[in-house]
Amino acid sequence: MADFGGAELDAFRTEVRAWLEANYPAELRDPNARTDAEAVWGGRAFADKAEDPQIVWQRRMADKGWTAPTWPKEYGGGGLSPAEARVLDQELARGGYRPALLSFGIWMLGPVLLEYANEEQKKEHLPKIVRGEIRWCQGYSEPGAGSDLASLATRCEDKGDHWQIDGQKVWTSYADKADWCFCLVRTDQTKKHEGISFVLIDMRTPGVETRPIRLISGESPFCETFFTEVRIPKGNLVGRLNGGWEIAKRLLQYERQNISAGFGEGGSAGGASGDLANIAKHYDALAYDGGELRSKITKNKMDFQALRLTIARSAAESRAGNGPSAATSIIKYAAAELAKERSELMIEAMGSQGLGWSGEGFSTPELTAVRGWLRTKANSIEGGTSEVNLNVVAKRVLGLPDPK
């Protein structure tokens, strides 16, 4: 659908606002209302929980195609124009509505399926992604292939009527909760980049095993994933054989774009920067630092606002063009550094109350802040390390030559 503006767009905004107000479950209107956090990610585990208010919200949005608003209607999407999608985003943020669906399928896999998959694969997987019926995880990194991802060794062998997968992945986010995995595998041992393929794996397949990794924050969102003689259908290969590196790079652009989007308008990742001043006041931190902390908090808030404006401009360029570009590496790097800085400032503002791990002397928000500070250390690793992203910027954006 082509973009339109003026009165037509105003009418669409009125329609969206009315629909959201009429269809948002009353149980979710209380910002403190409890709901199963995992329900936001959907998947097979919630197939029989139609009464959960979060699932009700998810399914109502999916019926409109608004969990993937710009995807074609023929695959379950909303078919909205970029201008209409911006209106929807703005109205969701204005009303403080909870996300209907968090999904690696929507953020990363779906866009590359639209670009590289055959028609049968699109019709099979895209509608399920939109409806939140399948929860996806990403099988990229390996113990010996992190920053140098093209060194991956997980084998995919042609067994005639099926593919056989053998190997190991690591840092597979939520693999223990996922239904399917989009995975990079080696189909040619004699070539590096040109020997990689992109496949889809049902996590219920015999031979798939996941083991959660406990982090310093006490959480275990990442997993080790093992594949032992895992048989998958030939039709689970996306794109051409040994053409997976091109898809992998494209998907990483979408991943970096969506990691950064969390810091943009309506995103939650950067929201706490505006609260830093109030936190510092609450702990009387500004009364004793001689203005240094005040200056650092002000600068962080200004930097976040500049980042949000840059993200909005990049998103508009992405919608108007052919998807995200290498510029996503600039934004992802900046977002990671600012998030770490903000968290450090929060702990600094809390003083000794920012040193707790457990016990009655610390409130829940204080303990959450400490664990959040530890979690931000991964911001400069996930979605491509900061070093890798700087290399992408140097080569793809600035056009600098390789060092001799």
Side-chain angles (χ1 to χ4, degrees):
M1 180 184 296
D3 263 353
F4 53 79
E8 292 174 309
L9 203 56
D10 289 340
F12 179 72
R13 183 182 299 276
T14 300
E15 175 189 333
V16 169
R17 186 173 298 182
W19 188 91
L20 292 175
E21 291 175 353
N23 285 275
Y24 192 60
E27 299 92 330
L28 300 181
R29 293 186 183 278
D30 179 358
N32 298 313
R34 295 179 62 85
T35 188
D36 190 334
E38 291 300 325
V40 184
W41 291 85
R44 291 169 177 155
F46 293 90
D48 60 349
K49 298 186 178 182
E51 301 304 315
D52 184 301
Q54 178 64 46
I55 300 300
V56 171
W57 174 230
Q58 179 188 120
R59 291 178 178 173
R60 287 176 181 174
M61 285 285 282
D63 287 343
K64 293 283 286 185
W66 286 358
T67 53
T70 60
W71 290 11
K73 287 187 175 182
E74 62 189 294
Y75 304 124
L80 301 187
S81 69
E84 290 172 314
R86 286 194 296 273
V87 167
L88 176 59
D89 287 343
Q90 290 164 0
E91 290 303 309
L92 287 168
R94 184 200 66 82
Y97 298 105
R98 299 188 186 195
L101 177 63
L102 304 179
S103 171
F104 292 159
I106 289 175
W107 301 334
M108 295 185 278
L109 177 62
V112 297
L113 289 182
L114 285 168
E115 191 169 348
Y116 293 96
N118 59 42
E119 192 63 21
E120 182 179 356
Q121 290 169 334
K122 291 177 184 178
K123 290 181 177 179
E124 169 66 22
H125 296 292
L126 291 173
K128 294 177 182 178
I129 291 174
V130 172
R131 296 194 298 266
E133 295 178 1
I134 298 296
R135 183 172 179 174
W136 289 84
C137 64
Q138 178 185 17
Y140 270 34
S141 296
E142 297 183 5
S147 296
D148 184 14
L149 180 59
S151 294
L152 65 91
T154 296
R155 301 188 310 279
C156 177
E157 297 179 278
D158 188 342
K159 295 296 184 179
D161 62 344
H162 67 275
W163 301 108
Q164 179 174 305
I165 314 293
D166 290 275
Q168 177 187 355
K169 298 293 179 177
V170 73
W171 308 121
T172 318
S173 299
Y174 309 112
D176 57 332
K177 303 178 186 302
D179 305 308
W180 279 69
C181 177
F182 49 94
C183 192
L184 292 180
V185 293
R186 183 157 299 286
T187 44
D188 188 333
Q189 305 296 323
T190 66
K191 300 177 182 178
K192 189 174 182 179
H193 297 80
E194 295 80 9
I196 294 171
S197 295
F198 190 96
V199 299
L200 309 177
I201 303 172
D202 188 332
M203 297 292 281
R204 296 182 302 186
T205 307
V208 178
E209 178 189 359
T210 61
R211 300 176 190 171
I213 301 170
R214 189 173 178 83
L215 307 181
I216 57 174
S217 64
E219 299 179 345
S220 300
F222 303 129
C223 296
E224 295 178 286
T225 307
F226 299 88
F227 302 101
T228 305
E229 297 183 359
V230 175
R231 298 161 59 108
I232 65 170
K234 283 296 190 71
N236 286 19
L237 171 71
V238 177
R240 61 182 178 83
L241 182 65
N242 298 322
W245 188 246
E246 178 184 351
I247 301 176
K249 291 190 296 181
R250 189 63 163 164
L251 187 143
L252 285 171
Q253 288 182 332
Y254 284 109
E255 180 181 15
R256 290 161 186 163
Q257 180 186 58
N258 282 284
I259 289 174
S260 303
F263 297 90
E265 182 180 6
S268 60
S273 62
D275 298 329
L276 279 176
N278 291 330
I279 291 171
K281 290 177 183 177
H282 176 77
Y283 291 96
D284 291 328
L286 299 178
Y288 307 105
D289 79 311
E292 182 180 357
L293 180 59
R294 185 190 303 271
S295 177
K296 288 191 288 187
I297 289 174
T298 301
K299 182 179 183 301
N300 184 263
K301 187 173 183 179
M302 292 172 64
D303 287 343
F304 259 117
Q305 181 59 21
L307 175 64
R308 291 188 182 99
L309 294 172
T310 303
I311 289 171
R313 185 174 69 251
S314 177
E317 292 172 351
S318 175
R319 292 190 185 104
N322 297 313
S325 68
T328 56
S329 290
I330 300 175
I331 298 173
K332 196 275 176 179
Y333 172 80
E337 294 305 308
L338 288 177
K340 291 193 294 183
E341 178 185 90
R342 180 200 64 201
S343 193
E344 293 276 357
L345 289 172
M346 186 178 298
I347 297 300
E348 182 179 346
M350 290 165 58
S352 61
Q353 292 304 113
L355 302 177
W357 188 254
S358 63
E360 297 180 357
F362 302 95
S363 68
T364 297
E366 289 168 348
L367 297 178
T368 300
V370 171
R371 285 163 170 75
W373 164 66
L374 291 171
R375 174 62 181 82
T376 61
K377 303 305 178 183
N379 291 160
S380 56
I381 300 173
E382 59 199 353
T385 67
S386 290
E387 291 79 8
V388 167
N389 278 299
L390 287 174
N391 282 339
V392 172
V393 173
K395 293 180 181 181
R396 308 297 182 189
V397 178
L398 300 178
L400 299 179
D402 290 328
K404 296 182 179 179

